[in-house]
Amino acid sequence: MASATLSPASPSPKPRWWRNRTVRRFCRHRLAMVGLAMIILLTLACILGPRLLPYDELFIDLRARFAPPFTGYHIFGTDPLGRDLAARLFMAGRISLLVGFFAMLLSTALGTVIGVTAGYYGGWAGSALMRFVDAFLSFPSIFLLLTLAAFIKPSPLMITVIIAVTSWMEVARIVEAEVRSLRERDFVLAARMVGLSNSWIMFRELLPNVIGPIIVAATLTVARAILLEAYVSFLGYGIQPPLPSWGNMLNGAQQYLANAPWLAIVPGVAITLAVTSFNFIGDGLRDALDARSDLN
């Protein structure tokens, strides 16, 4: 009898990304989906809104000063100079969201490098790095932020750097703890035995195993950065007029709370929606990346 020939088994296709277990758990988190939808809508409004409105953020119409919401084309009203509040809100949203996003990238990168290095090497080097982290944490971050902002000429770039410099410590502590718990695992010992370099082990073997906590921390850092930018700009040390940001819009509205409350309500609602939405997304990612989580 002729022996039957066995054809090599074809590799099973990779599941679609939307069928991934983590993605499904995230999609079942209702608040996270609400937060994601709000961030998408807010981002689209900030990108497309200034192009669709008849006025830009710097156009002044003194005859339309203090126009209430839904007056003609001014859907959110106007400010004391007659500038369209919706145009300023959307342009300010671009700045605030970009500051939050890039501050998150910088702070997460810095905190990750320091955390991985401290957690992997341990000993005196790791202790020295973590005492450096503790020294930064011993100062209230808002006072450190205001001190740096007071001595540096404010601009979106500098505010982004200052926020990143004062926001990386939490990421470093999270990463250091995770890497310290993994550095004696079998896959790390095997990597050392085959002669892989320390940098390869840290960033190609260990780092992928702690990416979940980093993603969660990064999402929450965006919310914190947006709030810090608004806080600093509200106090006058951040983004300076006529360039709008949600914080300096609140600063300019405080003396008109009684007569024109919409000047404070509109940017205040935008800040609340952005920060709350990113916090919801962070909570959803934390639960989705936890294999023990069972969302209903």
Side-chain angles (χ1 to χ4, degrees):
M1 294 179 63
S3 60
T5 59
L6 297 177
S7 59
S10 59
S12 58
K14 293 183 178 180
R16 303 290 185 180
W17 64 267
W18 59 82
R19 295 181 180 176
N20 184 276
R21 186 181 304 173
T22 301
V23 174
R24 293 203 306 268
R25 283 201 295 262
F26 179 79
C27 292
R28 289 199 298 266
H29 197 292
R30 294 183 180 87
L31 289 179
M33 295 306 295
V34 170
L36 182 62
M38 289 303 306
I39 290 300
I40 292 174
L41 290 175
L42 193 59
T43 303
L44 289 176
C46 293
I47 294 174
L48 302 177
R51 300 178 182 272
L52 301 177
L53 294 172
Y55 308 104
D56 64 25
E57 73 279 4
L58 298 178
F59 178 78
I60 296 176
D61 183 4
L62 293 177
R63 295 172 299 178
R65 297 173 66 244
F66 295 111
F70 304 107
T71 300
Y73 291 105
H74 305 295
I75 57 175
F76 291 151
T78 61
D79 68 3
L81 296 177
R83 295 174 298 189
D84 185 67
L85 204 60
R88 292 185 63 76
L89 179 81
F90 295 144
M91 188 57 66
R94 291 184 181 183
I95 295 173
S96 296
L97 291 174
L98 284 174
V99 167
F101 180 74
F102 283 106
M104 175 272 293
L105 290 180
L106 289 175
S107 64
T108 301
L110 180 60
T112 298
V113 170
I114 292 177
V116 169
T117 304
Y120 178 75
Y121 285 106
W124 68 267
S127 297
L129 285 173
M130 294 315 295
R131 298 298 76 75
F132 179 68
V133 173
D134 292 339
F136 267 82
L137 285 173
S138 64
F139 293 97
S141 59
I142 188 61
F143 295 124
L144 184 60
L145 178 63
L146 289 175
T147 301
L148 292 175
F151 289 99
I152 297 176
K153 183 179 180 180
S155 68
L157 176 60
M158 294 311 303
I159 293 300
T160 300
V161 173
I162 291 172
I163 292 175
V165 168
T166 59
S167 303
W168 58 271
M169 296 82 72
E170 290 81 1
V171 177
R173 293 197 69 86
I174 292 171
V175 174
E176 188 270 341
E178 293 289 333
V179 171
R180 183 157 38 86
S181 67
L182 294 173
R183 67 186 180 189
E184 300 301 330
R185 295 285 183 89
D186 291 342
F187 71 94
V188 178
L189 298 178
R192 290 172 180 161
M193 290 179 63
V194 299
L196 296 179
S197 64
N198 289 330
S199 59
W200 180 281
I201 296 173
M202 286 191 292
F203 296 104
R204 299 298 295 271
E205 301 292 337
L206 287 169
L207 186 57
N209 287 279
V210 299
I211 200 68
I214 293 175
I215 292 174
V216 176
T219 306
L220 299 176
T221 300
V222 178
R224 184 169 181 266
I226 292 173
L227 201 57
L228 286 174
E229 184 278 322
Y231 188 91
V232 174
S233 296
F234 175 77
L235 294 177
Y237 293 99
I239 310 299
Q240 299 296 310
L243 193 64
S245 78
W246 289 337
N248 65 30
M249 289 177 69
L250 283 175
N251 180 289
Q254 59 183 330
Q255 57 183 316
Y256 303 108
L257 291 177
N259 299 326
W262 61 87
L263 296 177
I265 292 173
V266 170
V269 169
I271 294 172
T272 302
L273 288 177
V275 172
T276 304
S277 297
F278 276 113
N279 284 329
F280 284 162
I281 294 172
D283 290 341
L285 287 172
R286 181 189 58 205
D287 293 339
L289 292 168
D290 185 359
R292 297 167 297 180
S293 176
D294 183 17
L295 301 176
N296 296 320

